Amino acid sequence: MAAPCSLSLPVVALAALALLSPRSSAAGHIEVCTSRFWFNYRHVANTLSVYRSVKRLGIPDSHIVLMLADDMACNARNPKPATVFSHKNMELNVYGDDVEVDYRSYEVTVENFLRVLTGRVPPSTPRSKRLLSDDRSNILIYMTGHGGNGFLKFQDSEEITNIELADAFEQMWQKRRYNELLFIIDTCQGASMYERFYSPNIMALASSQVGEDSLSHQPDPAIGVHLMDRYTFYVLEFLEEINPASQTNMNDLFQVCPKSLCVSTPGHRTDLFQRDPKHVLITDFFGSVRKVEITAETISLQRDLPAVESRYSSQLLQAHDRQSSQFIISLQQQLHHSTGDNWLKLLHKAKSEGGDMEDRMEEEFTEPLQYAEQLPVAQIIHQKPKPKDWHPPGGFILGLWALIIMVFFKTYGIKHMKFIF
Amino acid sequence: MAAAGAAATDLEVVRGKRAALFFAAVAILLGLPLWWKTTETYRAPLPYSQISGLNALQLRLMVPVTVVFTRDSVPLDDQEKLPFTVVHEREIPLKYKMKIKCRFQKAYRRASDHEEDALSLSSVHEAEAMLAEPEKQAEGSLTVYVISEHSSLLPQDTMSYIGPERTAVVRGLMHREAFNIIGRRIIQVAQAMSLTEDVLAAALADHLPEDKWSSDKRRPLKSSLGYEITFSLLNPDPKSHDVHWDIEGAVQRYVKPFLNALSAAGNFSVDSQILYYAMLGVNPRFDPASSSYYLAMHSLPHVINPVESRLGSSAASLYPVLNFLLYVPELAHSPLYIQDKDGAPVAANAFHSPRWGGIMIYNVDPKIYNASNLPVRVEVNMVQVMEVFLAQLRLLFGIAQPQVPPKCLLSRPKSEGLMTWELDQLLWARSVENLATATTTLTSLAQLLGKISNIVIKDDVASEVYRAVAAVQKAAEELALGHLSSAFVASQEAVTSSERAFFDPSLLHLLYFPDDQKFAIYIPLFLPMAVPILLSLVKIFLETHKSWKKSEKKD
């Protein structure tokens, strides 16, 4: 009935959710699902359910980084395509119409996850894939997948250890990328992941202790897989009762899913947190309430000031005289708010004033806008392979060399090397 | 035969011993250091001592003030002492260890004839127009004119006047201690125009412990190289209101001059958009007394998040985005007012959120409904709207109302909405904030490198760190000399370089190997080699020991 998550299945589904919810500026969330393949449907459903609750409580997509390691909704095995259900009898479709997945499928790797956390993303990364938090943001990180004692599997090919996670949080703290951080993990032996944290202002929750397995909730006969994990199921029931103005505190969240319902023992860690958990509201992390001030004073402006636009027309004529094409193109970029017909009028005027300039102006006019920092095409198409990090030789190579050395010693006769053996 | 054989084996034994010792020597003296060197993470050298020195950097801010005395302002014998220079230094304590020294360097001199003529005109504004030479005054400096006690330039009981450019006027005194008294008045005026404790505390609010300063100080935007300003018109009810706003004209007329005045503080780009069917997330309540709808103050924070997802600010640039929303309420909820905590409607009908932007509610004039059918055409009065938005923009940047000394007249604001010395104040605050941020970043980087052992520092990252340290030191020097504009540029460069060094993608630490994995890797490689060497060394040592003992016994 309930499938333990630490079976030695080669599937690693990673689901991670990161949420930012600052007290007075934007909230941020990171939600990571680290599991791949169809039978880890429940990890994706976990992540999407938390994502949905958090959006319901008011966090916009721009503050959520959602990483899903596999696509369940459009999976060929899904009998109901474009849906991901979290309750049996298909009551609740958590995929919805407005899901925004930031990191999908093979982009969910340990390296990308750590880059998002520490902010060391390449300069070409779009805004939606960055964690734009500052020192006033409260961050919620939700991770689910298959894990073990001290590690969490990503995509069935790599793992993240608890020490790396602790170091990443320390780097976030050094750069003041968070004010307070809530870390929720739903995997087997999840409590081992928060053992090594050492940065201040972190609170952590896990679905099971070291040595225990987190179990899944209920299979669905129509879809054929387990739909959710127990711990996340009960956390979600708890969150459904929260609205943006509610006053429930963290101690209630710690009581969610006792051993009788969850079979595993959920754990939590609050020693690094500076405030008392009973004074910490759930909405501090799961919702976001901005600080707002009434605008009491206004300035007075003169009614009919001349527009500053005339500056641009005289500059254009000067450029015309100087015959510099560069200037005209940069003018094009600067004119955000010049109306279209104004610009054309000026252009026509300039055109009519110069005979042989006309051709040059036309070809300059059609030159495309320049975009900043564009990679040359050659580099996009044939990207140089990244220099691989040195890994120590694997077991096969070591065994081979051990065999060779033994044979060497046997062949040349140990007895001749009296003074060695 | 046996003796020859024995001699031969003896020779072999000695050779064997030497060979074993040589192996051991090569392995330990050459192999171990080579292995250590090739497996350590590459770290280009960094100026750690300079970085720790930055923490203890004493910031000295200098404001050069030129004080010009007219003929009847002070007694004659005092006038003869001119020109000379007085320095007034004050320490502003901000944190237990951190103090900032503010120094006002007053250069006293006599007025020239041109200035005397200007200051004997009848009104301050005419005098200023005659004296105005704004290009000559360096950023951060001030000029104070001292006029006679009974001059009619200022109204009767006003003791001082603060002008829109970097000038001020103070009344003189015919008294023995004239210089001291006037000096104090000048310092009061100069402080209001440049550096006060509030200005600096607001700039450093992020670096101070939270409980010390009120929420007022946490309003301003963080210093950044540029900002993106977005004006949005929200029309939830297009069936009833056909709203038009001349945003381009308003931006050209009102916003662009303001941003040009602020251009020293960063690059600005302005966008605008119109959103239809965008509702506020909160339902307004009906107030039967005034037969209007209102939004109570406690429901205002919940307005912003549902709207923000539709604003598309994530598609904008990487600079911080400031959103200004103009909301035209739907016909069913018109007119809509914002109530403050006492229940009174707010005059400007607008509110703002620090580091995010502002929202203003524009109520349509009910008279236009009578004449025509729905949808009615609404022309937004851009002046009224821009007055509120520019005021909010000033507050978001931290340009607050100045603390004027008593009996002081503040000039009316300039057409751009920003006085020159307010810009100077902003630049002072930003320079200090940039220096604090850069120092924190560099110190954090040094600490991280100490704590996490497998972070790689490449050469270009190291050069950025050197550049950042040099820029911080240069900025501190320029601040002490009073050159505000070059100090600000240096501080911006310091922040950019330090952020680039800290957030360089190559700094991501290598994957971590726990200790037991390291043993598992190295043992199969080194053990087959080390065991014979060690055993042979042990054997040699035991034999030598035995032969010593034997030779002792013999004796």
Side-chain angles (χ1 to χ4, degrees), chain A residues 58 111 115 118-120 127 134-136 163-164 167 170-171 174-175 288-295 297-299 301-303 305 308 337 339 392 419-420, chain B residues 13 218-219 248 252-254 270 301 304-305 308 314 317 346 350-355 387 391-392 444 447 451 499 502-505 509 511-512 521 532 536:
Chain A
E111 185 189 336
R115 283 194 189 281
T118 53
R120 301 215 172 95
R127 215 175 146 97
D134 55 18
D135 57 307
R136 295 186 207 165
I163 299 187
E164 283 176 325
D167 285 342
E170 173 67 13
Q171 296 194 48
Q174 287 287 347
K175 199 59 184 76
S288 92
V289 180
R290 289 182 183 270
K291 215 163 86 56
V292 151
E293 291 172 12
I294 303 276
T295 311
E297 49 198 42
T298 60
I299 65 177
L301 295 171
Q302 287 173 331
R303 298 279 138 159
L305 287 179
V308 190
H337 280 278
T339 54
F419 299 99
I420 298 180
Chain B
V13 164
R218 293 178 155 261
R219 203 198 286 128
E248 296 171 28
Q252 295 295 343
R253 252 183 241 115
Y254 304 114
V270 181
I304 297 182
N305 268 340
E308 194 185 349
S314 61
S317 70
V346 172
F351 64 99
H352 57 273
S353 175
R355 297 192 178 181
E387 283 180 352
Q392 288 180 338
S444 312
Q447 275 178 358
K451 249 191 215 155
E499 298 268 317
F502 192 94
F503 284 118
D504 190 84
H509 51 274
L511 290 181
Y512 168 79
I521 290 161
S536 62

XYZ file of all heavy atoms in Angstrom, chain A residues 58 111 115 118-120 127 134-136 163-164 167 170-171 174-175 288-295 297-299 301-303 305 308 337 339 392 419-420, chain B residues 13 218-219 248 252-254 270 301 304-305 308 314 317 346 350-355 387 391-392 444 447 451 499 502-505 509 511-512 521 532 536:
641
model
N -1.066 34.176 -1.841
C -0.750 35.501 -2.336
C 0.644 35.715 -2.886
O 0.978 36.826 -3.255
N 24.118 21.368 -9.227
C 24.837 22.604 -9.520
C 23.875 23.764 -9.706
O 24.054 24.852 -9.137
C 25.674 22.407 -10.769
C 26.537 23.603 -11.045
C 27.213 23.507 -12.392
O 27.371 22.373 -12.871
O 27.554 24.557 -12.928
N 23.513 27.015 -7.453
C 23.697 28.328 -8.063
C 22.513 29.228 -7.745
O 22.677 30.419 -7.486
C 23.848 28.206 -9.570
C 25.200 27.726 -9.968
C 25.429 27.941 -11.455
N 26.634 27.288 -11.888
C 27.860 27.759 -11.720
N 28.019 28.897 -11.114
N 28.894 27.099 -12.154
N 22.948 30.318 -4.005
C 24.008 31.264 -3.672
C 24.004 32.482 -4.563
O 24.703 33.442 -4.299
C 25.384 30.592 -3.789
O 25.485 30.007 -5.080
C 25.567 29.533 -2.747
N 23.236 32.453 -5.649
C 23.182 33.623 -6.513
C 24.282 33.669 -7.545
O 24.452 34.663 -8.235
N 25.052 32.601 -7.667
C 26.167 32.638 -8.619
C 25.727 32.089 -9.960
O 26.264 31.114 -10.455
C 27.320 31.814 -8.073
C 27.765 32.357 -6.756
C 29.234 32.234 -6.581
N 29.629 32.938 -5.401
C 29.778 32.391 -4.216
N 29.545 31.115 -4.089
N 30.127 33.104 -3.189
N 15.428 36.634 -15.320
C 15.033 37.028 -13.976
C 14.209 35.955 -13.289
O 14.276 35.787 -12.075
C 14.197 38.293 -14.100
C 14.337 39.265 -13.025
C 13.521 40.453 -13.426
N 12.947 41.071 -12.276
C 13.465 42.114 -11.647
N 14.556 42.654 -12.089
N 12.896 42.624 -10.591
N 16.667 39.689 -0.750
C 17.596 40.611 -0.107
C 17.578 40.319 1.380
O 17.038 39.301 1.800
C 17.238 42.060 -0.420
C 15.819 42.389 -0.046
O 15.219 41.640 0.740
O 15.295 43.389 -0.550
N 18.150 41.215 2.161
C 18.321 40.886 3.575
C 17.027 40.936 4.349
O 17.020 40.689 5.542
C 19.337 41.838 4.192
C 18.894 43.259 4.008
O 18.605 43.638 2.860
O 18.819 43.988 4.983
N 15.923 41.306 3.732
C 14.668 41.300 4.468
C 13.741 40.194 4.016
O 12.603 40.143 4.447
C 13.936 42.624 4.250
C 14.698 43.746 4.833
C 13.876 44.962 4.721
N 14.705 46.119 4.674
C 14.284 47.307 4.287
N 13.047 47.443 3.893
N 15.097 48.317 4.274
N 26.193 18.525 4.047
C 27.241 19.524 4.275
C 27.240 20.574 3.174
O 27.403 21.767 3.433
C 28.602 18.824 4.366
C 28.559 17.872 5.528
C 29.703 19.829 4.521
C 29.853 17.227 5.859
N 27.014 20.144 1.930
C 26.946 21.129 0.841
C 25.790 22.079 1.052
O 25.878 23.280 0.797
C 26.729 20.402 -0.484
C 27.961 19.768 -1.014
C 27.687 18.980 -2.278
O 26.592 18.393 -2.381
O 28.548 18.958 -3.136
N 26.725 24.503 3.723
C 27.657 25.511 3.208
C 26.945 26.505 2.314
O 27.243 27.705 2.334
C 28.772 24.833 2.405
C 29.776 24.162 3.311
O 29.809 24.490 4.498
O 30.536 23.301 2.820
N 25.252 28.918 4.432
C 26.209 29.840 5.045
C 26.599 30.932 4.066
O 26.712 32.105 4.433
C 27.460 29.063 5.500
C 28.590 29.930 5.997
C 28.275 30.664 7.283
O 27.278 30.315 7.933
O 29.020 31.594 7.619
N 26.751 30.566 2.793
C 27.087 31.581 1.796
C 25.935 32.551 1.627
O 26.143 33.747 1.440
C 27.407 30.927 0.462
C 28.630 30.073 0.557
C 29.141 29.706 -0.794
O 29.276 30.533 -1.660
N 29.414 28.438 -0.964
N 26.181 34.893 4.602
C 27.271 35.861 4.527
C 26.912 37.027 3.624
O 27.303 38.159 3.879
C 28.540 35.193 3.973
C 29.223 34.273 4.930
C 29.925 35.014 6.031
O 30.102 36.219 5.955
N 30.289 34.305 7.058
N 26.160 36.759 2.590
C 25.803 37.841 1.669
C 24.442 38.418 2.032
O 23.893 39.207 1.284
C 25.806 37.297 0.248
C 25.894 38.363 -0.800
C 27.144 39.197 -0.630
C 27.207 40.341 -1.603
N 26.309 41.461 -1.240
N 2.727 36.586 2.083
C 3.579 37.748 2.240
C 2.723 38.976 2.406
O 1.759 39.179 1.685
C 4.522 37.905 1.061
O 3.973 38.720 0.092
N 3.066 39.738 3.406
C 2.314 40.951 3.691
C 3.297 42.093 3.597
O 4.307 42.116 4.269
C 1.735 40.887 5.121
C 0.955 42.128 5.420
C 0.849 39.672 5.245
N 3.024 43.035 2.734
C 3.972 44.118 2.548
C 3.725 45.239 3.533
O 2.618 45.449 3.978
C 3.802 44.696 1.160
C 4.293 43.773 0.124
C 4.136 44.445 -1.195
N 4.534 43.561 -2.239
C 5.758 43.483 -2.694
N 6.679 44.239 -2.193
N 6.053 42.650 -3.650
N 4.784 45.959 3.784
C 4.639 47.149 4.612
C 4.141 48.276 3.735
O 4.639 48.489 2.648
C 6.000 47.512 5.190
C 5.906 48.079 6.580
C 7.255 48.027 7.239
C 8.088 49.247 6.896
N 7.476 50.502 7.206
N 3.168 48.996 4.221
C 2.539 50.006 3.373
C 2.431 51.311 4.149
O 2.180 51.306 5.350
C 1.147 49.480 2.960
C 0.178 50.595 2.714
C 1.245 48.623 1.740
N 2.654 52.428 3.471
C 2.503 53.736 4.122
C 1.583 54.599 3.296
O 1.636 54.567 2.071
C 3.844 54.447 4.201
C 4.808 53.819 5.149
C 6.169 54.477 5.014
O 6.254 55.528 4.365
O 7.116 53.924 5.551
N 0.825 55.414 3.978
C -0.056 56.357 3.277
C 0.801 57.508 2.772
O 1.691 57.992 3.475
C -1.119 56.909 4.240
C -1.912 55.758 4.833
C -2.012 57.887 3.561
C -3.027 55.290 3.989
N 0.541 57.957 1.560
C 1.261 59.106 1.019
C 0.578 60.357 1.511
O -0.508 60.719 1.060
C 1.225 59.070 -0.515
O 1.609 57.782 -0.932
C 2.171 60.090 -1.073
N 1.956 63.549 1.699
C 2.308 64.847 1.129
C 2.514 64.717 -0.367
O 2.905 63.681 -0.872
C 3.590 65.342 1.773
C 4.643 64.266 1.762
C 5.726 64.565 2.754
O 5.394 64.992 3.865
O 6.879 64.386 2.395
N 2.239 65.794 -1.058
C 2.501 65.810 -2.497
C 3.362 67.016 -2.791
O 3.461 67.935 -1.997
C 1.219 65.931 -3.317
O 0.588 67.150 -2.945
C 0.280 64.789 -3.045
N 3.987 67.004 -3.942
C 4.724 68.202 -4.346
C 3.850 68.955 -5.309
O 2.882 68.415 -5.848
C 6.061 67.828 -5.002
C 5.818 67.075 -6.292
C 6.860 66.971 -4.071
C 7.100 66.757 -6.997
N 3.507 70.964 -8.878
C 4.178 71.121 -10.154
C 3.557 72.275 -10.913
O 2.370 72.543 -10.789
C 4.029 69.841 -10.979
C 4.710 68.612 -10.424
C 4.289 67.408 -11.226
C 6.200 68.776 -10.488
N 4.366 72.881 -11.777
C 3.811 73.930 -12.645
C 2.989 73.280 -13.732
O 3.330 72.218 -14.244
C 4.943 74.715 -13.288
C 5.628 75.605 -12.299
C 6.839 76.244 -12.923
O 7.446 75.664 -13.809
N 7.186 77.408 -12.489
N 1.918 73.957 -14.110
C 0.958 73.308 -14.989
C 1.482 73.086 -16.398
O 1.198 72.090 -17.030
C -0.312 74.151 -15.083
C -1.021 74.316 -13.778
C -1.853 73.118 -13.498
N -1.755 72.711 -12.128
C -2.647 71.960 -11.507
N -3.696 71.539 -12.160
N -2.482 71.639 -10.258
N 4.697 73.048 -18.296
C 6.115 73.078 -18.568
C 6.350 72.625 -19.992
O 5.634 71.773 -20.496
C 6.855 72.127 -17.623
C 6.968 72.600 -16.190
C 7.702 71.551 -15.390
C 7.710 73.899 -16.118
N 10.528 68.154 -22.832
C 11.978 68.061 -23.009
C 12.316 67.479 -24.364
O 13.448 67.313 -24.741
C 12.559 67.178 -21.892
C 14.067 67.243 -21.878
C 12.022 67.654 -20.552
N 9.795 57.257 -25.198
C 8.482 57.874 -25.129
C 8.251 58.897 -26.211
O 7.352 59.697 -26.108
C 8.288 58.529 -23.760
C 7.917 57.497 -22.743
N 6.640 57.050 -22.598
C 8.688 56.792 -21.904
C 6.659 56.104 -21.669
N 7.867 55.934 -21.225
N 6.649 59.753 -29.515
C 5.608 59.065 -30.281
C 6.127 58.721 -31.661
O 6.995 59.368 -32.198
C 4.369 59.945 -30.430
O 4.809 61.193 -30.977
C 3.743 60.190 -29.084
N 38.001 11.185 -8.786
C 38.956 10.093 -8.546
C 38.545 8.854 -9.327
O 37.375 8.717 -9.694
C 38.854 9.844 -7.041
C 37.557 10.414 -6.657
C 37.267 11.518 -7.596
N 64.765 -7.232 0.834
C 64.792 -6.141 1.799
C 63.516 -5.305 1.794
O 63.410 -4.330 2.505
C 66.004 -5.261 1.549
C 67.251 -6.055 1.704
C 67.909 -6.569 0.588
C 67.721 -6.377 2.968
C 69.043 -7.337 0.744
C 68.850 -7.136 3.117
C 69.534 -7.637 2.004
N 62.617 -5.781 0.943
C 61.348 -5.072 0.961
C 60.318 -5.886 1.701
O 59.559 -5.359 2.511
C 60.899 -4.751 -0.477
C 61.955 -3.852 -1.097
C 59.551 -4.085 -0.459
C 61.659 -3.462 -2.500
N 73.210 -6.923 -0.252
C 72.396 -6.463 0.883
C 72.537 -4.959 1.050
O 71.568 -4.225 1.217
C 72.830 -7.205 2.170
C 72.303 -6.471 3.385
C 72.305 -8.629 2.157
N 13.970 52.610 7.240
C 14.146 51.492 6.323
C 13.402 51.703 5.026
O 13.159 50.784 4.285
C 13.632 50.209 6.977
C 14.494 49.841 8.124
C 13.995 48.618 8.813
N 15.093 47.968 9.482
C 15.747 46.948 8.996
N 15.391 46.439 7.852
N 16.748 46.417 9.625
N 13.003 52.926 4.763
C 12.202 53.114 3.577
C 13.000 53.162 2.290
O 12.538 52.706 1.268
C 11.389 54.403 3.747
C 10.169 54.437 2.886
C 9.648 55.830 2.743
N 9.002 56.293 3.934
C 9.309 57.449 4.526
N 10.231 58.216 4.058
N 8.664 57.832 5.605
N 2.985 59.876 -22.099
C 4.240 60.285 -22.733
C 4.507 61.752 -22.481
O 5.619 62.149 -22.131
C 4.189 60.005 -24.223
C 4.075 58.528 -24.502
C 3.799 58.261 -25.958
O 4.211 59.098 -26.772
O 3.190 57.240 -26.276
N 7.592 63.320 -20.309
C 8.528 64.304 -20.853
C 8.537 65.574 -20.027
O 9.567 66.184 -19.816
C 8.133 64.667 -22.284
C 8.242 63.559 -23.274
C 9.666 63.112 -23.465
O 10.621 63.814 -23.112
N 9.837 61.937 -24.015
N 7.353 65.972 -19.542
C 7.278 67.276 -18.887
C 7.695 67.232 -17.433
O 8.281 68.164 -16.926
C 5.849 67.804 -18.963
C 5.722 68.933 -19.911
C 4.331 69.487 -19.908
N 3.815 69.334 -21.251
C 2.805 68.575 -21.579
N 2.158 67.891 -20.673
N 2.416 68.487 -22.826
N 7.335 66.172 -16.734
C 7.531 66.188 -15.282
C 8.538 65.156 -14.809
O 9.355 65.436 -13.954
C 6.200 65.954 -14.562
C 5.142 66.934 -14.939
C 3.999 66.539 -15.628
C 5.286 68.270 -14.653
C 3.033 67.442 -16.002
C 4.318 69.192 -15.021
C 3.204 68.769 -15.698
O 2.259 69.655 -16.078
N 12.308 54.411 -18.122
C 10.895 54.598 -17.792
C 10.055 53.832 -18.799
O 10.277 53.905 -19.999
C 10.527 56.106 -17.850
C 9.085 56.309 -17.502
C 11.406 56.886 -16.904
N -2.172 46.332 2.674
C -1.069 45.439 2.300
C -1.487 44.279 1.423
O -0.679 43.736 0.683
C -0.549 44.931 3.646
C -0.974 45.958 4.618
C -2.265 46.494 4.113
N -1.460 44.598 -2.906
C -0.345 44.629 -3.844
C -0.054 43.280 -4.502
O 0.116 43.211 -5.714
C 0.906 45.154 -3.124
C 0.669 46.585 -2.677
C 2.101 45.090 -4.031
C 1.840 47.196 -2.004
N -0.003 42.212 -3.731
C 0.445 40.943 -4.311
C -0.390 40.426 -5.469
O 0.162 40.001 -6.471
C 0.539 39.882 -3.227
C 1.932 39.855 -2.648
O 2.859 40.327 -3.271
N 2.066 39.317 -1.472
N 0.522 42.428 -8.504
C 1.905 42.407 -8.954
C 2.161 41.328 -9.990
O 2.979 41.487 -10.877
C 2.830 42.192 -7.765
C 4.241 42.499 -8.133
C 5.198 42.177 -7.036
O 4.733 41.903 -5.923
O 6.401 42.186 -7.315
N 8.693 40.982 -13.979
C 9.792 40.030 -14.069
C 10.418 40.030 -15.437
O 11.498 39.526 -15.620
C 9.284 38.632 -13.736
O 8.287 38.272 -14.658
N 14.236 44.644 -16.722
C 15.680 44.461 -16.630
C 16.060 43.934 -15.253
O 15.222 43.721 -14.399
C 16.365 45.788 -16.868
O 16.120 46.621 -15.763
N -7.824 59.962 2.910
C -6.503 60.522 2.639
C -6.617 61.526 1.511
O -7.287 61.286 0.513
C -5.541 59.380 2.251
C -4.238 59.923 1.791
C -5.370 58.444 3.415
N -3.618 58.027 -2.065
C -2.551 57.171 -2.578
C -1.786 56.571 -1.411
O -1.795 57.103 -0.303
C -1.587 57.973 -3.446
N -1.123 55.438 -1.672
C -0.244 54.855 -0.667
C 0.951 54.240 -1.375
O 0.917 53.993 -2.576
C -0.975 53.821 0.197
C -1.462 52.612 -0.554
C -0.746 51.433 -0.539
C -2.652 52.643 -1.276
C -1.194 50.327 -1.216
C -3.101 51.537 -1.955
C -2.367 50.371 -1.925
N 2.009 54.035 -0.629
C 3.201 53.467 -1.255
C 3.785 52.395 -0.356
O 3.487 52.340 0.838
C 4.241 54.547 -1.541
C 4.666 55.309 -0.332
N 4.003 56.419 0.126
C 5.690 55.118 0.519
C 4.603 56.870 1.204
N 5.627 56.109 1.476
N 4.579 51.540 -0.952
C 5.217 50.467 -0.204
C 6.718 50.600 -0.405
O 7.173 50.712 -1.529
C 4.723 49.123 -0.731
O 5.407 48.079 -0.101
N 7.496 50.609 0.688
C 8.931 50.831 0.528
C 9.559 49.785 -0.380
O 9.212 48.620 -0.325
C 9.481 50.680 1.957
C 8.323 50.910 2.828
C 7.124 50.455 2.089
N 10.482 50.220 -1.213
C 11.204 49.362 -2.146
C 10.323 48.709 -3.184
O 10.758 47.813 -3.903
C 11.976 48.256 -1.408
C 13.019 48.839 -0.516
C 13.939 47.788 -0.040
N 14.963 48.369 0.788
C 15.937 47.705 1.353
N 16.008 46.415 1.166
N 16.822 48.301 2.093
N 1.967 64.799 -9.558
C 2.355 65.383 -8.271
C 2.482 64.287 -7.226
O 3.429 64.245 -6.434
C 1.299 66.407 -7.827
C 1.390 67.718 -8.555
C 0.333 68.698 -8.104
O -0.566 68.303 -7.341
O 0.413 69.851 -8.534
N 6.037 62.766 -5.664
C 6.225 62.810 -4.214
C 6.558 61.421 -3.684
O 7.422 61.254 -2.823
C 4.968 63.343 -3.541
N 5.856 60.404 -4.202
C 6.154 59.033 -3.775
C 7.555 58.628 -4.191
O 8.277 57.958 -3.441
C 5.144 58.058 -4.374
C 3.778 58.152 -3.749
C 2.797 57.180 -4.368
O 2.986 56.720 -5.494
N 1.745 56.869 -3.640
N 32.940 39.272 3.910
C 32.246 37.982 3.850
C 32.988 37.012 2.963
O 33.087 35.823 3.271
C 30.845 38.125 3.278
O 30.169 39.161 3.869
N 35.896 35.644 4.803
C 35.484 34.675 5.832
C 35.074 33.351 5.218
O 35.371 32.279 5.730
C 34.294 35.235 6.607
C 34.690 36.133 7.729
C 33.469 36.686 8.428
O 32.348 36.418 8.053
N 33.712 37.462 9.453
N 36.308 29.445 5.775
C 35.457 28.375 6.310
C 35.307 27.198 5.367
O 35.280 26.063 5.783
C 34.067 28.954 6.581
C 33.753 29.034 8.027
C 32.316 29.354 8.252
C 32.210 30.235 9.474
N 31.070 31.059 9.527
N 30.741 42.966 -5.856
C 29.631 42.053 -6.150
C 30.019 41.091 -7.264
O 29.680 39.907 -7.240
C 28.398 42.847 -6.596
C 27.861 43.792 -5.571
C 26.793 43.173 -4.701
O 25.916 42.465 -5.229
O 26.837 43.393 -3.487
N 32.186 38.429 -5.723
C 31.509 37.489 -4.837
C 30.591 36.570 -5.604
O 30.472 35.386 -5.311
C 30.705 38.277 -3.791
C 30.209 37.445 -2.665
C 30.928 37.341 -1.490
C 29.018 36.743 -2.764
C 30.462 36.568 -0.445
C 28.558 35.971 -1.731
C 29.282 35.887 -0.567
N 29.877 37.113 -6.600
C 28.871 36.322 -7.299
C 29.393 35.728 -8.589
O 28.609 35.350 -9.444
C 27.644 37.182 -7.598
C 26.796 37.415 -6.392
C 26.590 38.679 -5.903
C 26.216 36.355 -5.736
C 25.815 38.891 -4.780
C 25.440 36.555 -4.617
C 25.242 37.841 -4.146
N 30.697 35.651 -8.748
C 31.219 35.052 -9.959
C 30.806 33.585 -10.014
O 30.959 32.867 -9.033
C 32.746 35.177 -9.943
C 33.354 34.810 -11.261
O 33.394 35.682 -12.134
O 33.742 33.654 -11.421
N 30.288 33.106 -11.150
C 29.797 31.728 -11.198
C 30.873 30.690 -10.927
O 30.568 29.573 -10.525
C 29.265 31.575 -12.623
C 28.977 32.938 -13.063
C 29.940 33.835 -12.375
N 31.471 26.134 -4.973
C 32.466 25.222 -4.433
C 32.345 23.855 -5.077
O 31.274 23.420 -5.454
C 32.358 25.135 -2.911
C 30.966 24.860 -2.434
N 30.040 25.840 -2.231
C 30.350 23.718 -2.123
C 28.925 25.314 -1.786
N 29.080 24.019 -1.713
N 32.302 19.887 -5.587
C 31.489 18.946 -4.836
C 32.259 18.428 -3.639
O 33.457 18.255 -3.671
C 31.084 17.783 -5.742
C 30.086 18.189 -6.822
C 29.723 17.000 -7.663
C 28.838 18.767 -6.203
N 31.535 18.193 -2.619
C 32.152 17.867 -1.344
C 32.419 16.370 -1.241
O 31.583 15.561 -1.609
C 31.206 18.320 -0.239
C 31.570 17.805 1.109
C 32.573 18.388 1.834
C 30.902 16.717 1.631
C 32.915 17.906 3.059
C 31.243 16.228 2.860
C 32.250 16.820 3.579
O 32.583 16.330 4.783
N 39.375 6.377 -1.648
C 39.990 6.643 -2.948
C 41.495 6.486 -2.874
O 42.111 5.916 -3.769
C 39.631 8.074 -3.382
C 38.151 8.141 -3.720
C 40.455 8.502 -4.564
C 37.631 9.530 -3.704
N 55.453 -1.724 1.132
C 56.839 -2.224 1.014
C 57.865 -1.234 1.534
O 58.835 -1.609 2.207
C 57.023 -2.451 -0.483
C 55.722 -2.292 -1.118
C 54.785 -1.695 -0.163
N 60.293 -2.053 4.663
C 61.740 -2.105 4.489
C 62.422 -1.123 5.419
O 63.476 -1.414 5.982
C 62.094 -1.822 3.039
O 61.671 -0.537 2.692
